Amino acid sequence: MDELDQKVTPIFDGKVVRKDLLHRIKKGTNVPTFVLEFLLARYCASDEEAEIQAGLEAVLDTLNDNYVRPNEANRAQSVVATKGKHRFIDKVHVNYVEKDRRHWAALENFDSRRVAIAEKFYRDNDRLLQGGLWCEVTIAYNEIEEDDYAFYIEDLRPIQLSRFSFEQYCEGREEFSRNDWMDVILRSVGLEPTRLSQRLKMHFMARLLPLVEPNFNFIELGPRGTGKSYFFSEFSPYSTLISGGQATKATLFYNNQRKKIGLVGFWDTVAFDEVGGIKVKDPDTIQIMKDFMANGRFSRGVEVIADASMAFVGNLDLSVQQVVNSEVYDLFQPLPKEFDLAVMDRFACYLPGWEMPKNSSDFLTNNYGFITDYLAEAFHYQLKHTNRYEEVSKRIRLGKEVEGRDEKGIKKTVSGLLKILHPSSSPSDDEFEEYVSYAVECRRRVKEQMNKRKTDDEFALINLSYISSDGQEKVVYCPESQTASATQEPSRKNIHAGEFEEFKSEKNARQAKASEPTKPALDKSEAEVPVVHADAVVEPKEPQEQHFTIHYGDTGYSYESLIGPYLLGAKKVEVEDPYIRATHQVQNFVRFCEAVLKAPSVRKIVLTTSYDEETDVKQLSERLSELKQSLIEIDVELEVKVNDHMHDREIRVDNGWVIKIGRGLDYYQKPDNWFAIGVNDLALRKCLETKIDIFKS
């Protein structure tokens, strides 16, 4: 025990646990952290090694006897049927089944969706009806054969503290300095503060903000494996994590058919994991989300007010330095297209996930920290019963470029930090200034990315600042973008003028080319250099002009072999092909893009195509959008244009080469069956007859 351990254990006797004990058990089970610590607090509430060892054995025995592993459901059901009843640790959901006109409990690992439950259990524990709760639950066997169920719940106890005193929590906090208290919080979530910088400590505090501040809109995007979703999936029983999938207004906000409020009414925090995978089919969902994120209320026939915070976490696959120095991309790139600027503007805090360390045992603590459930209760109490916003408003002074939503976001971030680090007292001037500076940075990161997306100056006031205690105005910058001119001063291009000038110059070039005397096309037999399969000519040092015919049934003409040698130094490839419509034609274009990506310098692909009355435009748009998204993830932009009057088929590379293919990209024969050679490797696919002209413009 170090000095901090010796201090925290007597002050919070019975409410702290050695975190290395958790790590030792956690690796062998998928039980949530707060469930394991519930058992550790019951059996290992001692500092005597012999008692702790005996307690660990008791915890393991309890897990062996009472925790149902997903692959042991049949054995668990057999135990209940044989013994008559048995106590389990499992997650319990309660669902109302309309055709039965009654409620049924569903146990996740026990693997039964039709367990009878008394009304008192779900009446006293609302969250059983929304998302479920981990409980100690006694399942009994029903001997009455006429009943349509085999099991019923005889007893149920949520795995939470039976009582919590906020006054005692605050009294204990007064015995610690701010830095020591921050270290206690970090150890409570399993981290060793001596291995973290002060900036990283603030980042981890920011991850807790949605759990303590009501209606707090939070986003963190960064690499995989940094623990973004842990705080919302396992740290607190008052938060729920939605892992991708479809988010509906009935699930999230209000179900008009059942007259029931959604997740935002039952949880302190609703978190969205893998935010890029969210599917929003109903545009009303986004509009309701905007209303709720703005002021914690919305209307769906009835006026609903709720305190839930919304957190969005996801993966950022692109290089941060490339993004901040790009005129095209921004740090909101992974968000689904339905998340427009109005949604982004409601984020109070953008946590730079790329600065967070990867999960590693090197950062885990072996010292004492709060029982996770105890700290979660403290945060839950503060979210519901305390308000530090007015206190912050009276003390904070912000610069002239801070606008309405900036001010609100900054104040809510500071308010949340006060609740975590100063639950019943006020920080010093230096501490308060540290919180304000951090909050301004987190909001500026939001503002900078919106400013890059907007074609006018609506969000141009990005130099957010605050007035320090000595009266000086201090502008706060984001470390990743401070020297990036593409982010600090993004270009304001006319969205039409550039396209018109480009179209005009291309048209003039084509007219000039048409007026020149044309060279007679060489037949394959007349070519000075014998033409061999294109696959045999791989990346020539000096590519030459070619004019030849692919004959019916020829093989060896993959996209890569045709265009690969002509992509040296290319940054932009333009494809004009009116027939990218049918499924196989879109698949051909995908394969073409894969071939283009073999040239590492390419950063943009432009497709100009058309469609007719028989084209399923919606399906075509969805397919090209999916391709566009996958290209963005590897830092390549796809631009799609529609021109109903085009007939030319050609590929233009910005290094000057032009590849004209008579049939466009669709010059392959359709396979007789989809399990034949040539289906996947286009070099082995038989071709249709077409002419190829490759020349320098």
Side-chain angles (χ1 to χ4, degrees):
M1 296 177 67
D2 63 10
E3 184 179 347
L4 190 57
D5 287 339
Q6 294 173 1
K7 189 173 183 179
V8 73
T9 47
I11 295 175
F12 290 98
D13 184 28
K15 300 177 178 66
V16 291
V17 67
R18 256 176 53 188
K19 294 295 175 172
D20 61 324
L21 304 180
L22 173 68
H23 305 326
R24 283 156 64 177
I25 299 178
K26 180 68 175 172
K27 293 178 181 178
T29 178
N30 62 351
V31 183
T33 299
F34 58 84
V35 175
L36 290 175
E37 291 189 345
F38 173 83
L39 297 174
L40 288 171
R42 174 185 291 176
Y43 296 111
C44 301
S46 171
D47 56 2
E48 295 292 335
E49 192 61 35
E51 293 183 18
I52 288 177
Q53 190 59 39
L56 282 176
E57 293 177 4
V59 170
L60 292 174
D61 288 342
T62 301
L63 290 175
N64 287 332
D65 294 339
N66 304 122
Y67 175 67
V68 187
R69 289 167 178 79
N71 61 345
E72 297 176 349
N74 189 55
R75 185 180 71 85
Q77 293 181 11
S78 176
V79 168
V80 175
T82 304
K83 294 174 57 178
K85 63 180 177 181
H86 191 75
R87 185 173 63 185
F88 296 103
I89 296 174
D90 203 348
K91 191 171 186 180
V92 182
H93 306 258
V94 176
N95 304 299
Y96 179 75
V97 179
E98 189 173 359
K99 68 175 182 178
D100 295 341
R101 297 191 175 185
R102 64 170 296 175
H103 291 79
W104 292 106
L107 279 72
E108 273 193 9
N109 295 340
F110 188 74
D111 196 25
S112 177
R113 298 291 178 268
R114 201 176 178 84
V115 180
I117 183 171
E119 181 183 352
K120 65 177 182 178
F121 294 123
Y122 57 81
R123 184 184 63 231
D124 296 339
N125 301 282
D126 284 342
R127 287 196 308 282
L128 287 171
L129 295 162
Q130 289 287 336
L133 276 177
W134 281 91
C135 306
E136 282 187 312
V137 54
T138 301
I139 304 295
Y141 185 70
N142 181 25
E143 301 281 358
I144 304 174
E145 295 184 2
E146 289 78 11
D147 289 342
D148 56 351
Y149 60 91
F151 306 106
Y152 65 94
I153 291 179
E154 182 178 276
D155 190 29
L156 179 147
R157 182 167 67 144
I159 295 181
Q160 295 177 242
L161 293 178
S162 58
R163 53 180 66 88
F164 171 78
S165 172
F166 184 64
E167 290 73 19
Q168 291 180 359
Y169 175 78
C170 293
E171 289 172 6
R173 161 64 182 92
E174 295 307 310
E175 301 298 321
F176 297 83
S177 67
R178 192 287 302 264
N179 290 339
D180 282 349
W181 185 254
M182 184 183 289
D183 291 350
V184 171
I185 300 292
L186 288 168
R187 285 181 173 176
S188 299
V189 298
L191 299 167
E192 179 48 52
T194 57
R195 299 188 180 96
L196 302 174
S197 66
Q198 181 63 19
R199 180 169 174 80
L200 278 178
K201 290 181 182 180
M202 289 299 294
H203 288 341
F204 281 110
M205 293 299 105
R207 277 184 173 175
L208 297 169
L209 290 172
L211 300 172
V212 75
E213 180 68 16
N215 302 128
F216 187 81
N217 304 314
F218 170 89
I219 183 169
E220 179 184 354
L221 302 175
R224 296 165 180 80
T226 58
K228 294 186 291 294
S229 59
Y230 165 80
F231 290 87
F232 309 114
S233 62
E234 298 195 24
F235 176 75
S236 172
Y238 294 102
S239 66
T240 185
L241 184 70
I242 300 174
S243 298
Q246 184 177 344
T248 66
K249 56 191 176 186
T251 302
L252 289 174
F253 300 109
Y254 192 80
N255 189 317
N256 277 330
Q257 298 300 317
R258 296 183 178 178
K259 310 296 182 187
K260 294 283 187 180
I261 193 170
L263 296 176
V264 296
F266 289 90
W267 300 93
D268 290 355
T269 306
V270 178
F272 298 84
D273 195 13
E274 304 292 349
V275 63
I278 293 177
K279 305 295 183 186
V280 184
K281 295 184 178 180
D282 187 350
D284 286 349
T285 303
I286 291 295
Q287 187 56 50
I288 296 172
M289 181 181 289
K290 291 176 188 176
D291 294 341
F292 182 74
M293 291 173 72
N295 51 32
R297 64 177 66 201
F298 60 90
S299 178
R300 284 207 71 203
V302 294
E303 185 78 11
V304 178
I305 302 175
D307 292 327
S309 295
M310 304 199 86
F312 301 85
V313 295
N315 300 320
L316 186 65
D317 295 325
L318 304 181
S319 162
V320 172
Q321 285 306 310
Q322 283 185 327
V323 172
V324 297
N325 287 287
S326 168
E327 294 285 354
V328 179
Y329 301 115
D330 59 66
L331 293 173
F332 281 133
Q333 175 266 326
L335 295 183
K337 63 181 184 299
E338 292 86 0
F339 281 40
D340 56 15
L341 288 169
V343 175
M344 298 171 190
D345 198 19
R346 287 160 167 79
F347 290 130
C349 174
Y350 187 149
L351 185 67
W354 49 89
E355 294 185 21
M356 305 299 278
K358 289 275 189 178
N359 292 336
S360 167
S361 57
D362 294 338
F363 292 100
L364 299 179
T365 185
N366 294 325
N367 297 86
Y368 282 82
F370 287 126
I371 296 171
T372 304
D373 196 43
Y374 179 72
L375 191 58
E377 286 291 339
F379 288 172
H380 172 68
Y381 180 91
Q382 292 183 92
L383 183 139
K384 293 294 185 182
H385 303 292
T386 64
N387 187 344
R388 306 296 290 275
Y389 191 86
E390 289 302 318
E391 176 186 341
V392 172
S393 297
K394 292 176 181 177
R395 190 169 176 180
I396 197 171
R397 291 188 295 167
L398 299 171
K400 59 182 180 299
E401 293 201 6
V402 175
E403 299 175 298
R405 286 204 172 119
D406 303 330
E407 180 179 355
K408 182 179 179 181
I410 292 168
K411 287 181 177 179
K412 288 184 76 68
T413 300
V414 176
S415 174
L417 291 172
L418 293 188
K419 289 182 179 182
I420 295 171
L421 299 172
H422 307 270
S424 62
S425 60
S426 297
S428 66
D429 287 344
D430 289 343
E431 291 168 346
F432 188 77
E433 189 170 322
E434 180 185 359
Y435 306 150
V436 173
S437 176
Y438 185 82
V440 172
E441 177 197 321
C442 290
R443 175 59 190 179
R444 175 174 181 140
R445 189 169 288 108
V446 175
K447 198 88 177 281
E448 284 183 350
Q449 308 317 308
M450 293 192 299
N451 188 42
K452 287 184 74 172
R453 289 201 174 195
K454 201 72 163 68
T455 54
D456 59 21
D457 293 334
E458 180 180 353
F459 302 111
L461 299 179
I462 61 173
N463 286 324
L464 308 186
S465 61
Y466 67 95
I467 311 300
S468 63
S469 56
D470 57 5
Q472 295 184 353
E473 182 176 3
K474 295 188 177 181
V475 178
V476 181
Y477 292 90
C478 301
E480 72 277 358
S481 61
Q482 184 170 358
T483 59
S485 59
T487 297
Q488 300 303 319
E489 298 177 357
S491 58
R492 303 292 189 210
K493 296 179 180 179
N494 187 305
I495 61 174
H496 301 296
E499 295 177 4
F500 176 73
E501 293 298 328
E502 186 178 359
F503 169 76
K504 187 168 67 174
S505 62
E506 290 169 359
K507 181 178 178 181
N508 292 340
R510 285 197 295 269
Q511 290 176 344
K513 182 70 180 178
S515 64
E516 295 177 2
T518 57
K519 299 177 182 179
L522 295 176
D523 187 73
K524 189 174 183 179
S525 60
E526 299 172 347
E528 295 181 6
V529 181
V531 177
V532 295
H533 281 172
D535 281 338
V537 187
V538 180
E539 294 187 358
K541 292 182 180 179
E542 294 182 3
Q544 302 295 316
E545 290 192 354
Q546 292 194 68
H547 308 272
F548 59 92
T549 299
I550 298 176
H551 292 286
Y552 185 88
D554 281 354
T555 60
Y557 295 98
S558 67
Y559 295 134
E560 186 175 351
S561 64
L562 278 181
I563 68 170
Y566 302 95
L567 295 176
L568 186 63
K571 295 182 179 179
K572 179 179 177 182
V573 177
E574 299 178 72
V575 180
E576 288 189 355
D577 191 331
Y579 296 101
I580 306 294
R581 304 172 183 173
T583 299
H584 75 280
Q585 293 169 339
V586 178
Q587 289 174 340
N588 285 340
F589 182 65
V590 173
R591 293 189 174 103
F592 173 81
C593 292
E594 292 173 341
V596 168
L597 294 177
K598 296 295 183 357
S601 58
V602 173
R603 284 292 171 265
K604 185 172 183 178
I605 301 172
V606 180
L607 169 66
T608 303
T609 188
S610 64
Y611 54 82
D612 56 18
E613 295 179 355
E614 298 180 359
T615 304
D616 187 339
V617 179
K618 182 179 179 181
Q619 184 184 69
L620 175 62
S621 176
E622 289 177 352
R623 289 172 173 175
L624 292 177
S625 294
E626 291 174 3
L627 174 60
K628 183 175 183 179
Q629 183 63 30
S630 67
L631 286 169
I632 284 178
E633 292 175 0
I634 52 177
D635 205 18
V636 176
E637 179 188 5
L638 172 63
E639 181 181 353
V640 180
K641 302 179 181 179
V642 176
N643 183 350
D644 291 333
H645 304 291
M646 64 176 298
H647 299 284
D648 291 342
R649 300 171 179 83
E650 67 180 27
I651 302 165
R652 295 191 302 276
V653 188
D654 64 351
N655 60 12
W657 285 102
V658 178
I659 300 98
K660 296 181 73 71
I661 306 174
R663 286 182 174 270
L665 298 180
D666 193 11
Y667 60 85
Y668 295 109
Q669 294 183 29
K670 186 176 179 180
D672 294 332
N673 68 76
W674 292 99
F675 297 94
I677 295 298
V679 169
N680 294 312
D681 188 347
L682 295 182
L684 301 174
R685 179 87 68 88
K686 293 181 180 180
C687 298
L688 300 167
E689 183 168 325
T690 189
K691 290 187 179 294
I692 308 288
D693 295 302
I694 306 175
F695 55 88
K696 201 78 176 267
S697 63

